Amino acid sequence: MKKWIAFLLVLTLLFVFIGCDKPVEEDPDDDQPVVVDVLPTAITIKNGVATMNVGDTQTLEIEITPSDTTNKSVTWKSSNEAVVKVDSAGGLTAQAAGTATITVTSKAKSSIKATFEVTVNAVHIAVTSIALTGRNEVEVGKTIMLGVTALPSGASNEATFTSSDTAIATVDAKGKVTGVAEGTVTITATSVENTAIKAERVITVKAASTENPDDPVTKPTSIVVQGSETSVQEGKSISFSATVYPEGASQNVTWHSRKEEVATIDAKGKLTGITPGTTYIYAVSTVDPNIQSDYFKVTVIEHVEVVVTYPDLQGYAIKIMYHSTFDPYSENYGGNDKSYKQQAIEEVKNLYNVTFEYSPFGEDASWGPNRVAWINGQAESGTAPVDFYNVTVGWIKQLVDGKAIIDLTEYYLKWGESSMPFAPKASTTVMGKLYGVSEGHNPTSVNVDLGIYYNYGMLKKYNLVSPASLFNAGTWTYTDFANWVKAAQAVLPADTFVLAGHPYYFWFGMVNAGGIKITDTASAKVNLKHAYARQATAVLRQLYLDGAYEKVPTWAETDGLFIEGKSLCSSGSLWFVRHSARWPSAVWGEGSTEFGYVPFPWPDNKTKEDTRVSTGGDTAYVMAVRARPTYVDNESLYRVLQEFFLLSRKYQAEDPTFDPDAYLEQYAASKFDDPESITALLYLNDPNKLMFDPGHAFYDSISGSPIDNNIMDIVVNGVDFDASMDEDYDAYMVRFLQYYA
């Protein structure tokens, strides 16, 4: 009996398991038909006025196809809420002058959308009165800012300023009053729109005091550390400097080393190597200890006593291939250091028993990618014809990847430490390894390259203020720049623009002018979304909307407008000026060709003293991978070339007849007809005003990043800044770290 009960139990369980394998089917309910969603295929905006005035409103109506679409819910978005706001029902409100794109998107299917572009015109409100605001006292030697308010609301507050007695106080174009001597003075503001409308304010100038409790304390917000070296031998020292922002903040900092057993740093930023290893130094504000700089990596290497001997290279011919005339014995050599280089070559020949042979790149190694491919191909086939190539620094990463050039770090630390200027050293360093040899700092070199170049003849024709004079006077902020562009555009012919070219180049220079690197190799930091980057695009965007900026995507188009006299200004490089390949001497006709130059403007919270310019690494010498005789080693070759460059600079410095300042001024005068431009160029050619931002070479030659296109979209199309930058930021950062980390 028990067996039968067990058998029945197993059989029951078996049926249960079999039943579980089969899905349960429900009979369809004929009274409840299945509902199938009908998705939209198109959205059409049926109405809309493309032009509005500030304050106007309208509501956009839409039609969704097909008419029986199940879910007709949509979302509305404006590309620029500051220009046009849009609500959930398609209601538009014009906020400010500019252009915005309104997008309506289906909630049921996000790919179904429609757009409508709206241009908002500013409504002119005539000014009826103005008033001066601000303090009415200033000390001798100090400044105050006066502001202008205009009535009715929305009227222009642009004004000119005059002082009744400049011996007591002066006032600049922005309303900054500077106390000169004790007394009282009347500052008058005159409306630009209506010169009959004025406002006055009596200012009392007091004797200077040591401190003024009424003056607010400018709190520090950030610290930037600058240094020329990232390595030092034990027992040796290098110096760092720190800049505290914003303008007016205390520059007092304390210096710290995370590993003082590796290196110490004193109160003045002088770091001394103690023992081999790695440390990180940083600066901290004495006003606010919470404000500190990024960490700056320093490697201390073992000190090696070197007994200088000169190897005998047995008459070996050192071969150098170049892209222009670098042979100091050539009749076509145009440098001002020809005699010094000849003298240095003769000494090096005797020291090392070598000779020099120079040759140009051939037609099969034309400029750009073809030259890189050719050099890499020579290395791969083992047929490199020379010992050194002179190359553009933006190509070095590709030559490293092609295993075509030799790591020179060891030789530099042993024989050339601190002998390279910071720009060529940084630009020839890949992943912490040095691949370049530089000619060293030439005191007659003009290191300023990028800037804004202008038709000085056109400037005089239309009686326009020289922008270089504004720079020299210290009134060349983003706002000053925008005001100058607008004023110039107002008097130019309808088919002529003040600015022309790709906005990326203006943007890059404007960010650098604020002392900020787009790609900071020292801190491995990318500043694509820095406040200055955002502000620069906003300025360029407004100038584009104002009709003062003609965007063109290529250098050829930019040059075309400039050469045709259809643009007053163009971004470019110094070598463009009076060069047959760009802007020849007779570009606007013999006798009428006159050039000018002005640096890029700086942010509104900066001063002329704060502004910086990025200097390029230009070209460098790299050592080719090739077969050589056993008596010729890489270290000896490095020493020969390095010593040649060092000696040529030594002989130049020792020549009592050589005047670098006179040469620089002469060179600047050969380029520019506006004397204010000469002053501006020489002001920035100060090593303390220079920095190295590898951005151009990195963008163009390495990253493949569309940042330039992003800037174009932001400036021309009004694309959201953050959204555009976020699209490519991560990919760009990865490539940056691959190259510079």
Side-chain angles (χ1 to χ4, degrees):
M1 184 66 180
K2 290 182 179 179
K3 291 182 178 180
W4 277 105
I5 293 172
F7 175 76
L8 290 172
L9 182 61
V10 171
L11 190 63
T12 302
L13 290 172
L14 181 62
F15 279 116
V16 169
F17 282 114
I18 292 172
C20 289
D21 288 338
K22 184 177 181 179
V24 178
E25 295 182 356
E26 296 182 1
D27 294 331
D29 189 347
D30 295 335
D31 297 329
Q32 300 289 329
V34 177
V35 177
V36 179
D37 287 338
V38 179
L39 296 176
T41 58
I43 298 178
T44 305
I45 297 177
K46 298 169 58 177
N47 66 327
V49 180
T51 302
M52 303 173 68
N53 294 324
V54 174
D56 287 352
T57 61
Q58 63 171 311
T59 299
L60 300 180
E61 298 177 0
I62 61 171
E63 181 179 356
I64 299 178
T65 305
S67 60
D68 60 345
T69 297
T70 308
N71 183 359
K72 295 185 177 183
S73 300
V74 297
T75 59
W76 293 87
K77 183 181 180 181
S78 171
S79 65
N80 193 338
E81 290 275 339
V83 175
V84 180
K85 281 189 175 180
V86 60
D87 61 26
S88 59
L92 309 184
T93 303
Q95 302 287 111
T99 301
T101 300
I102 308 302
T103 303
V104 56
T105 305
S106 168
K107 285 186 176 181
K109 190 175 182 181
S110 60
S111 62
I112 303 301
K113 60 183 65 179
T115 60
F116 183 76
E117 186 172 274
V118 180
T119 299
V120 179
N121 298 320
V123 177
H124 177 72
I125 301 174
V127 61
T128 59
S129 66
I130 61 174
L132 278 170
T133 61
R135 295 171 58 189
N136 56 14
E137 294 181 351
V138 65
E139 292 181 5
V140 173
K142 293 190 175 181
T143 63
I144 58 173
M145 287 297 301
L146 298 181
V148 177
T149 59
L151 291 175
S153 178
S156 172
N157 65 348
E158 289 189 79
T160 58
F161 298 88
T162 56
S163 169
S164 64
D165 192 346
T166 56
I168 295 176
T170 61
V171 60
D172 68 10
K174 298 172 67 177
K176 183 170 72 174
V177 179
T178 303
V180 178
E182 294 182 66
T184 59
V185 64
T186 299
I187 303 299
T188 302
T190 303
S191 169
V192 172
E193 180 180 308
N194 186 345
T195 56
I197 297 175
K198 303 177 184 290
E200 294 181 347
R201 193 172 188 84
V202 177
I203 305 296
T204 301
V205 181
K206 296 182 173 182
S209 63
T210 56
E211 55 182 357
N212 188 348
D214 294 331
D215 285 339
V217 176
T218 303
K219 296 181 179 180
T221 59
S222 63
I223 304 173
V224 177
V225 171
Q226 295 179 336
S228 60
E229 298 289 335
T230 57
S231 63
V232 62
Q233 288 190 22
E234 56 182 329
K236 293 189 176 182
S237 301
I238 53 177
S239 294
F240 294 88
S241 63
T243 303
V244 184
Y245 297 106
E247 175 193 358
S250 170
Q251 296 298 305
N252 295 326
V253 299
T254 58
W255 290 95
H256 303 268
S257 170
R258 294 187 68 180
K259 292 185 179 180
E260 292 193 341
E261 67 273 19
V262 174
T264 59
I265 188 165
D266 66 16
K268 295 183 178 180
K270 182 180 180 180
L271 178 141
T272 302
I274 305 300
T275 188
T278 297
T279 185
Y280 292 85
I281 63 103
Y282 59 100
V284 178
S285 168
T286 58
V287 176
D288 185 351
N290 294 315
I291 304 300
Q292 71 173 52
S293 70
D294 290 332
Y295 292 113
F296 198 102
K297 183 179 179 181
V298 178
T299 301
V300 178
I301 60 175
E302 183 180 358
H303 176 68
V304 179
E305 290 290 343
V306 179
V307 178
V308 180
T309 59
Y310 298 97
D312 183 358
L313 299 185
Q314 304 180 33
Y316 182 77
I318 298 177
K319 298 180 179 180
I320 301 173
M321 187 168 284
Y322 54 85
H323 71 277
S324 62
T325 307
F326 282 82
D327 183 1
Y329 286 97
S330 170
E331 294 181 357
N332 298 321
Y333 184 82
N336 61 305
D337 55 357
K338 185 173 184 176
S339 63
Y340 312 117
K341 280 190 173 179
Q342 290 180 356
Q343 188 178 353
I345 281 182
E346 296 305 316
E347 183 164 347
V348 168
K349 284 181 177 179
N350 293 329
L351 288 173
Y352 294 92
N353 188 14
V354 295
T355 61
F356 285 80
E357 292 182 7
Y358 291 86
S359 61
F361 284 98
E363 294 183 358
D364 52 349
S366 57
W367 188 265
N370 288 339
R371 185 166 298 178
V372 173
W374 182 85
I375 294 174
N376 284 339
Q378 299 299 307
E380 186 177 0
S381 62
T383 56
V386 297
D387 298 287
F388 293 95
Y389 298 109
N390 184 266
V391 299
T392 299
V393 296
W395 303 340
I396 290 180
K397 174 63 165 61
Q398 298 164 72
L399 298 178
V400 172
D401 293 342
K403 299 182 172 59
I405 58 178
I406 293 171
D407 175 11
L408 306 175
T409 311
E410 177 187 352
Y411 314 139
Y412 174 76
L413 294 174
K414 187 175 179 181
W415 298 102
E417 187 176 7
S418 301
S419 62
M420 288 180 71
F422 70 93
K425 184 174 184 292
S427 63
T428 58
T429 299
V430 178
M431 296 299 291
K433 297 180 178 180
L434 182 70
Y435 290 88
V437 188
S438 134
E439 295 195 17
H441 176 68
N442 186 345
T444 65
S445 295
V446 177
N447 297 292
V448 179
D449 182 31
L450 298 176
I452 301 173
Y453 298 86
Y454 52 88
N455 185 333
Y456 184 53
M458 186 186 294
L459 200 79
K460 294 189 294 183
K461 177 180 178 181
Y462 293 102
N463 197 30
L464 295 170
V465 174
S466 164
S469 70
L470 298 178
F471 174 88
N472 293 332
T475 53
W476 195 234
T477 64
Y478 287 176
T479 299
D480 296 326
F481 165 68
N483 290 337
W484 177 82
V485 172
K486 291 176 185 177
Q489 189 63 49
V491 302
L492 293 180
D495 61 344
T496 304
F497 299 87
V498 177
L499 306 178
H502 201 301
Y504 161 76
Y505 294 103
F506 288 96
W507 169 80
F508 195 100
M510 291 169 71
V511 176
N512 283 166
I516 297 299
K517 302 175 184 179
I518 297 295
T519 50
D520 193 338
T521 57
S523 61
K525 190 175 182 180
V526 172
N527 290 309
L528 292 173
K529 297 192 289 184
H530 191 276
Y532 297 162
R534 189 184 309 274
Q535 292 167 20
T537 56
V539 171
L540 295 170
R541 169 67 175 165
Q542 191 56 55
L543 291 176
Y544 173 76
L545 294 174
D546 291 339
Y549 181 54
E550 175 70 351
K551 57 59 167 135
V552 288
T554 68
W555 278 118
E557 293 171 296
T558 302
D559 287 344
L561 289 173
F562 194 51
I563 290 170
E564 293 168 14
K566 297 298 183 182
S567 66
L568 175 62
C569 302
S570 181
S571 61
S573 297
L574 182 60
W575 73 265
F576 291 7
V577 180
R578 294 188 160 86
H579 195 285
S580 59
R582 288 289 189 177
W583 309 327
S585 296
V587 63
W588 298 301
E590 277 302 338
S592 63
T593 297
E594 294 180 296
F595 290 94
Y597 158 83
V598 64
F600 292 102
W602 56 80
D604 286 4
N605 67 331
K606 295 284 190 170
T607 68
K608 178 185 175 184
E609 288 69 33
D610 298 321
T611 192
R612 298 290 185 269
V613 63
S614 177
T615 178
D618 195 23
T619 65
Y621 295 84
V622 294
M623 187 182 296
V625 173
R626 69 178 301 219
R628 299 181 178 91
T630 55
Y631 54 84
V632 179
D633 60 289
N634 295 338
E635 182 176 342
S636 296
L637 284 179
Y638 174 89
R639 287 182 60 190
V640 171
L641 195 65
Q642 182 69 43
E643 191 139 23
F644 162 49
F645 292 146
L646 292 176
L647 284 172
S648 66
R649 295 289 168 253
K650 175 177 176 289
Y651 297 143
Q652 186 181 53
E654 293 174 348
D655 184 357
T657 66
F658 189 75
D659 187 348
D661 293 337
Y663 180 86
L664 285 171
E665 189 164 352
Q666 182 183 5
Y667 175 82
S670 72
K671 288 284 189 177
F672 304 122
D673 303 280
D674 184 358
E676 297 282 358
S677 294
I678 299 172
T679 303
L681 182 75
L682 297 181
Y683 174 82
L684 275 185
N685 203 54
D686 179 341
N688 294 319
K689 302 295 184 185
L690 302 172
M691 64 183 190
F692 174 69
D693 187 342
H696 284 301
F698 183 63
Y699 293 149
D700 297 342
S701 303
I702 302 158
S703 72
S705 170
I707 297 300
D708 54 348
N709 294 326
N710 294 356
I711 298 298
M712 177 76 82
D713 282 342
I714 295 167
V715 171
V716 175
N717 301 320
V719 174
D720 179 75
F721 180 92
D722 288 308
S724 182
M725 287 302 184
D726 287 344
E727 264 186 59
D728 303 290
Y729 184 88
D730 290 342
Y732 177 84
M733 189 65 187
V734 169
R735 293 289 286 149
F736 173 76
L737 292 175
Q738 288 174 346
Y739 193 95
Y740 289 113

